[in-house]
Amino acid sequence: MTAVPARVGVIGGGRMGAGIAQVFLAAGARVDVVEAGGDATEAARTRVSEGLAEAARRGKLDGDVEAVLGRLTLVDSAAELPAGTDLVVEAVPERADLKAEVLRAAESAVGPDAVLATNTSSLSVTELGAVLQRPARFLGLHFFNPVPASKLVEVVVARETEPELVGTASRWVRALGKTDVVVQDSPGFASSRLGVLLGLEAIRMLEEGVADAEAIDTAMELGYRHPMGPLRSTDLVGLDVRLAIAEYLHRTLGERFAPPRLLRDKVAAGELGRKTGRGFHTYS
Ligand SMILES: NC(=O)c1ccc[n+]([C@@H]2O[C@H](COP(=O)([O-])OP(=O)(O)OC[C@H]3O[C@@H](n4cnc5c(N)ncnc54)[C@H](O)[C@@H]3O)[C@@H](O)[C@H]2O)c1
């Protein structure tokens, strides 16, 4: 059985990066997390250690938290990643220029055999790879939120990704105890493209008065065994986040992703889903 890579760099220790660092640490890797310095670096360290402590409380961590944390290092710049790094996962905010900058710095710091990956949820992996000297060693590893509890990782194959890298990345995902799906680089990959389309159709049905939100969600939960109906799922992700993805998919894939009026109105009214207490359902 393949193990996870021995030495992993994670650029950005926010919501996703801290989770990615946590799961590689728990699986036995040494992990260097790159953060912006100062308070951001301390906050990233806290996120990783709290995540590990939570895993230990649930009986889901082999070994003692302090021992696992002994394999974590925080650095202030991607240029400081060690030359012996096997895998770098970039998880900085969703801006192409920022991602290009940190990926280029990481590529110069690590050895030529290292694998570089991006956790982008919407940008073109092929376009991000075009800024690198070795785009063949680059691909997408799309983790889901929250990383420790989510089973799925999309392995996103860019135009220049060398075929053998895909198998290696899939084996690493399985060594984390997760399930890989291999997807060619295209807008929304597999997960967002299908999930968002279902959510948009559910909103259009609500607009047309076909049924109320509870009925639409229950139809999919009990009729199709979805763990969560499309409107409840939109509330969980955030209506603002869904709208931004829908706008991007509308631009790249066409009319079927046009955001419904009701979605725009709710975002304008600050009804963003669970995080504001109200979206398509109400939360106390
Ligand atoms: N949140 C999700 O549900 C989710 C799911 C899948 C993928 N993603 C993708 O993951 C990426 C990160 O998202 P997030 O939700 O973790 O964002 P976040 O804002 O929580 O974290 C980003 C982190 O990057 C740090 N950062 C900023 N500039 C940096 C730099 N130059 N060097 C090092 N660190 C820097 C920030 O301090 C912050 O801690 C995005 O590309 C996003 O699209 C997010």
Side-chain angles (χ1 to χ4, degrees), residues 11-17 34-36 40 47 91-94 98-99 102 119-121 142-143 145:
I11 314 177
R15 196 154 31 146
M16 296 304 290
V34 182
E35 253 296 344
R47 273 191 287 276
V92 296
E94 194 76 337
L98 180 60
K99 288 185 186 289
V102 298
N119 186 49
T120 182
S121 31
H142 185 216
F143 287 82
N145 182 30

Side-chain angles (χ1 to χ4, degrees), residues 1-66:
M1 201 185 105
T2 316
V4 292
R7 188 128 197 184
V8 177
V10 178
I11 314 177
R15 196 154 31 146
M16 296 304 290
I20 294 166
Q22 179 189 326
V23 296
F24 277 109
L25 282 166
R30 289 188 65 180
V31 177
D32 299 273
V33 171
V34 182
E35 253 296 344
D39 290 350
T41 301
E42 273 323 297
R45 186 190 295 278
T46 304
R47 273 191 287 276
V48 178
S49 57
E50 286 181 353
L52 286 168
E54 176 64 22
R57 268 196 297 279
R58 292 168 177 245
K60 292 192 170 165
L61 185 71
D62 287 339
D64 147 85
V65 175
E66 288 309 313

